[in-house]
C-alpha cells in the first residue's frame, strides 16, 4: 500500500473555453446574448410592427408591448466604438434634439416665446414626477443640464460676442465660471457615501462605490459643522456578534426596525437612508438629485452646494452681459421685461429667448440653493424634512420655506 505522504495529487486538465471572436466597431452582443450589427437595428421588429399596426387601426396597445418596444429600442440604440458598439441611453437624446428646436421656435415671435418657455418647465416637471413615481433612474435631466450649459455658451459666442460689447476679460471670466461648474458637478457626482454589507461580496456596485466601500470605517469624511456625520456603526452591534452588521440589532423593536435595512442587509448608521432609485444605502442622505443622477449625501453635499453657488453666479453674470449687449442703455431688470425691437433681428431674438430660458433655470436652482441653506442652518436633511411632513410631526414656517421637524429644541 502506498503511504499517504507518497500520494501525488492528480492534476485536472483545465477545459479550454472557446475564445470569442473580437467584435468589430459596429457589432455588439444584444440582450439575448446573440451577436448583432448596428446596420440591422430596423430588422426583425415584431413588437414595433404590431404597435404601428394597432396605432394605425386605432386599437389599444398593451402596456407589456410598449415595454418590450422600449426595451428593444434602448438595446439597439448604439454607436460604433472600438471593440464593439456602445449602448446609448435613450433618455439622453430628447434634450439634444428638442431644446434647440424649442428655443429657435420661441425666437420667431413674442407669443411663441411665451408659450414655449411656459411649456418647457411643465414638461420637465411632468417627466420628473413620471420617473420619480416609477423609481427609475434617468439621464434626461443630467443631459438637459449639461447640454443647456453648452448651448447657452455656444449662443453667447455666436450671437453676443461678435457685437463687440463683451471684452476679452469678461469672456474669460464667463469661461472660467463654466469650467468651475463642470468641475464641481464632476465632484458632486462622485460617491455620496454608499454603504454596503461587508459579508455580501456579490453586490453589483460601480467602481466609485467599491472605492468608497473599501475605505469604509478607515477614515472620516468631512461634513458640515454641527452635523452628525459619524460613519461607523458605533455601539449598534454587539462585540460578540459573529455576523457583524448582517444581524438585527438588539434593543427597542421600533429603533431596530428603523436602523435595519432589509434590502442592503445591514445596520444603518445615524441619519443614513436607503435610496430606492439607486438601490443602496447612503450616509446622511439628503435627497436623490436628478440633475446629477445621483444621491446627495455625506461625501458630496459640499460639492453639490458649491456647484449650485458657482452656477448661480455664472448664470447671472452671463445674463447681465447678454442683456447689456442686445438692450443697450437699459438696466438689467428693465431690459428683461421691456426691450423694444428685440424681435426685429433674429440674432437678438434668439439671444433674448436664451436669456429668459436661463432666467427660468436660474430661478429653479436658486430655490434649491435657498432650501439647502435653510436645511443646513437648521441641521436637518431634506429627507428628514419630508419624513416629518409625511408623519405630520413637522410644521411649515415662512410660506413653507422653513419646516420645523421637531428634532431640535
Amino acid at each position: 500500500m502506498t503511504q499517504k505522504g507518497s500520494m501525488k495529487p492528480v492534476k485536472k486538465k483545465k477545459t479550454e473555453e472557446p475564445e470569442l471572436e473580437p467584435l468589430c466597431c459596429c457589432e455588439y452582443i444584444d440582450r439575448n446574448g446573440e451577436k448583432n450589427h448596428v446596420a440591422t437595428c430596423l430588422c426583425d421588429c415584431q413588437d414595433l410592427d404590431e404597435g404601428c399596426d394597432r396605432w394605425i387601426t386605432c386599437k389599444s396597445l398593451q402596456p407589456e408591448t410598449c415595454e418590450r418596444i422600449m426595451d428593444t429600442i434602448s438595446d439597439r440604440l448604439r454607436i460604433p466604438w472600438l471593440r464593439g458598439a456602445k449602448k446609448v441611453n435613450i433618455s439622453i437624446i430628447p434634450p439634444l434634439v428638442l431644446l434647440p428646436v424649442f428655443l429657435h421656435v420661441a425666437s420667431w415671435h413674442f407669443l411663441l416665446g411665451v408659450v414655449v418657455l411656459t411649456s418647457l418647465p411643465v414638461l420637465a416637471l411632468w417627466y420628473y414626477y413620471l420617473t420619480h413615481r416609477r423609481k427609475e433612474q434617468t439621464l434626461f435631466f443630467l443631459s438637459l443640464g449639461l447640454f443647456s450649459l453648452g448651448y447657452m455658451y455656444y449662443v453667447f459666442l455666436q450671437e453676443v460676442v461678435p457685437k463687440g460689447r463683451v471684452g476679452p476679460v469678461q469672456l474669460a471670466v464667463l469661461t472660467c465660471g463654466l469650467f468651475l461648474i463642470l468641475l464641481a458637478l464632476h465632484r458632486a457626482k462622485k460617491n455620496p457615501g454608499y454603504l454596503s454589507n461587508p459579508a455580501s461580496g456579490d453586490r453589483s456596485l460601480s467602481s466609485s462605490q467599491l472605492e468608497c466601500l473599501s475605505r469604509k470605517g478607515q477614515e472620516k469624511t468631512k461634513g458640515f459643522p454641527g452635523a452628525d456625520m459619524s460613519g461607523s456603526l458605533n455601539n449598534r452591534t454587539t462585540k460578540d456578534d459573529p455576523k457583524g452588521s448582517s444581524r438585527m440589532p438588539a434593543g427597542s423593536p421600533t429603533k431596530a426596525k428603523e436602523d435595519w435595512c432589509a434590502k442592503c442587509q445591514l445596520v444603518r448608521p445615524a441619519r443614513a437612508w436607503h435610496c430606492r432609485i439607486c438601490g443602496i444605502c447612503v450616509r446622511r442622505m439628503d435627497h436623490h438629485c436628478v440633475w446629477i443622477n445621483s444621491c446627495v449625501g455625506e461625501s458630496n453635499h459640499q460639492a453639490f452646494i458649491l456647484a449650485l453657488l458657482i452656477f448661480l453666479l455664472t448664470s447671472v453674470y452671463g445674463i447681465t452681459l447678454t442683456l447689456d449687449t442686445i438692450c443697450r442703455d437699459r438696466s438689467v431688470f428693465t431690459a428683461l421685461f421691456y426691450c423694444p425691437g428685440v424681435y426685429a433681428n433674429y440674432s437678438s431674438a434668439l439671444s433674448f429667448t436664451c436669456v429668459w430660458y436661463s432666467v427660468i433655470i436660474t430661478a429653479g436652482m436658486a430655490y434649491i440653493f435657498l432650501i439647502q441653506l435653510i436645511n443646513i442652518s437648521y441641521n436637518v436633511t431634506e429627507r428628514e424634512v419630508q419624513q416629518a411632513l409625511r408623519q405630520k410631526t413637522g410644521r411649515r414656517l415662512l410660506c413653507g420655506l422653513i419646516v420645523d421637524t421637531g428634532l431640535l429644541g
Side-chain angles (χ1 to χ4, degrees):
M1 294 179 65
T2 58
Q3 297 179 354
K4 185 181 290 188
S6 63
M7 293 178 62
K8 296 182 178 180
V10 180
K11 294 183 178 180
K12 295 182 180 180
K13 294 183 179 181
K14 296 182 178 180
T15 58
E16 297 182 356
E17 298 180 356
E19 296 183 358
L20 298 176
E21 297 181 2
L23 300 175
C24 73
C25 62
C26 295
E27 293 179 335
Y28 64 94
I29 304 299
D30 60 13
R31 57 178 180 171
N32 299 323
E34 300 176 355
K35 183 184 290 187
N36 212 330
H37 199 277
V38 174
T40 62
C41 61
L42 299 178
C43 301
D44 192 17
C45 302
Q46 298 179 358
D47 294 326
L48 185 59
D49 295 339
E50 179 185 354
C52 292
D53 293 339
R54 286 183 168 272
W55 179 72
I56 293 174
T57 57
C58 298
K59 294 182 179 179
S60 60
L61 195 62
Q62 298 295 331
E64 296 80 7
T65 306
C66 294
E67 291 181 1
R68 290 198 300 268
I69 291 175
M70 294 304 299
D71 292 340
T72 302
I73 293 176
S74 61
D75 183 55
R76 296 187 180 185
L77 188 62
R78 297 174 182 263
I79 57 174
W81 202 258
L82 298 176
R83 299 180 181 179
K86 295 294 184 181
K87 189 175 180 180
V88 178
N89 194 309
I90 194 173
S91 62
I92 298 177
I93 299 177
L96 307 182
V97 178
L98 297 179
L99 182 62
V101 174
F102 283 162
L103 291 179
H104 280 276
V105 171
S107 61
W108 289 349
H109 194 270
F110 171 75
L111 294 179
L112 283 175
V114 173
V115 173
V116 172
L117 293 176
T118 305
S119 61
L120 280 178
V122 175
L123 292 175
L125 288 174
W126 170 79
Y127 185 77
Y128 167 75
Y129 285 113
L130 179 66
T131 55
H132 189 72
R133 185 176 65 237
R134 295 180 179 179
K135 301 296 183 287
E136 296 177 354
Q137 279 193 330
T138 176
L139 295 177
F140 176 85
F141 295 96
L142 178 61
S143 174
L144 177 62
L146 294 178
F147 185 66
S148 297
L149 285 174
Y151 192 71
M152 294 302 104
Y153 186 70
Y154 169 78
V155 172
F156 185 82
L157 293 179
Q158 292 294 321
E159 308 296 342
V160 179
V161 174
K163 297 182 184 299
R165 297 274 294 181
V166 178
V169 177
Q170 296 170 321
L171 180 60
V173 172
L174 188 66
T175 305
C176 290
L178 180 63
F179 278 105
L180 288 176
I181 293 173
L182 296 178
L183 289 177
L185 285 176
H186 176 71
R187 177 62 186 87
K189 192 167 169 50
K190 283 188 176 181
N191 178 20
Y194 293 110
L195 288 169
S196 180
N197 186 0
S200 60
D202 56 346
R203 295 185 60 85
S204 57
L205 301 176
S206 62
S207 58
S208 61
Q209 296 176 10
L210 291 174
E211 181 182 356
C212 173
L213 296 176
S214 64
R215 300 195 304 265
K216 178 174 175 260
Q218 297 179 5
E219 63 181 9
K220 293 183 179 179
T221 308
K222 294 181 180 180
F224 291 102
D228 185 7
M229 295 288 195
S230 177
S232 61
L233 296 180
N234 297 331
N235 297 325
R236 295 173 184 260
T237 56
T238 55
K239 296 181 179 180
D240 56 346
D241 188 355
K243 294 184 180 180
S245 61
S246 300
R247 182 178 175 181
M248 183 74 73
S252 172
T254 305
K255 186 65 177 175
K257 184 178 179 180
E258 293 178 356
D259 295 343
W260 175 255
C261 179
K263 294 183 179 180
C264 295
Q265 294 294 302
L266 54 80
V267 180
R268 290 191 295 257
R271 310 184 80 176
W273 197 251
H274 183 87
C275 178
R276 292 176 290 179
I277 299 178
C278 295
I280 194 170
C281 290
V282 180
R283 299 179 189 272
R284 197 181 182 273
M285 177 179 171
D286 189 83
H287 68 286
H288 181 90
C289 181
V290 295
W291 294 104
I292 61 176
N293 192 34
S294 178
C295 289
V296 176
E298 176 183 292
S299 301
N300 65 342
H301 202 172
Q302 291 179 345
F304 178 73
I305 298 297
L306 182 62
L308 286 175
L309 178 60
I310 298 176
F311 171 78
L312 292 176
L313 295 176
T314 305
S315 180
V316 171
Y317 186 65
I319 291 172
T320 304
L321 293 178
T322 304
L323 290 177
D324 183 63
T325 301
I326 62 177
C327 299
R328 301 181 182 181
D329 301 329
R330 294 182 182 276
S331 63
V332 175
F333 186 79
T334 304
L336 188 61
F337 293 95
Y338 181 70
C339 186
V342 70
Y343 284 94
N345 185 5
Y346 183 75
S347 174
S348 60
L350 179 61
S351 302
F352 189 73
T353 303
C354 291
V355 163
W356 263 106
Y357 175 75
S358 301
V359 167
I360 295 173
I361 299 296
T362 305
M365 296 298 111
Y367 175 76
I368 296 176
F369 183 70
L370 178 62
I371 294 298
Q372 288 293 314
L373 292 183
I374 293 175
N375 290 343
I376 292 172
S377 64
Y378 277 79
N379 192 22
V380 294
T381 63
E382 184 63 23
R383 187 198 65 82
E384 293 170 348
V385 169
Q386 298 301 324
Q387 188 179 24
L389 292 177
R390 285 194 300 266
Q391 297 177 355
K392 298 181 179 180
T393 59
R395 55 193 182 95
R396 295 182 179 272
L397 304 174
L398 292 179
C399 300
L401 288 177
I402 301 176
V403 177
D404 183 10
T405 60
L407 298 178
L408 300 178

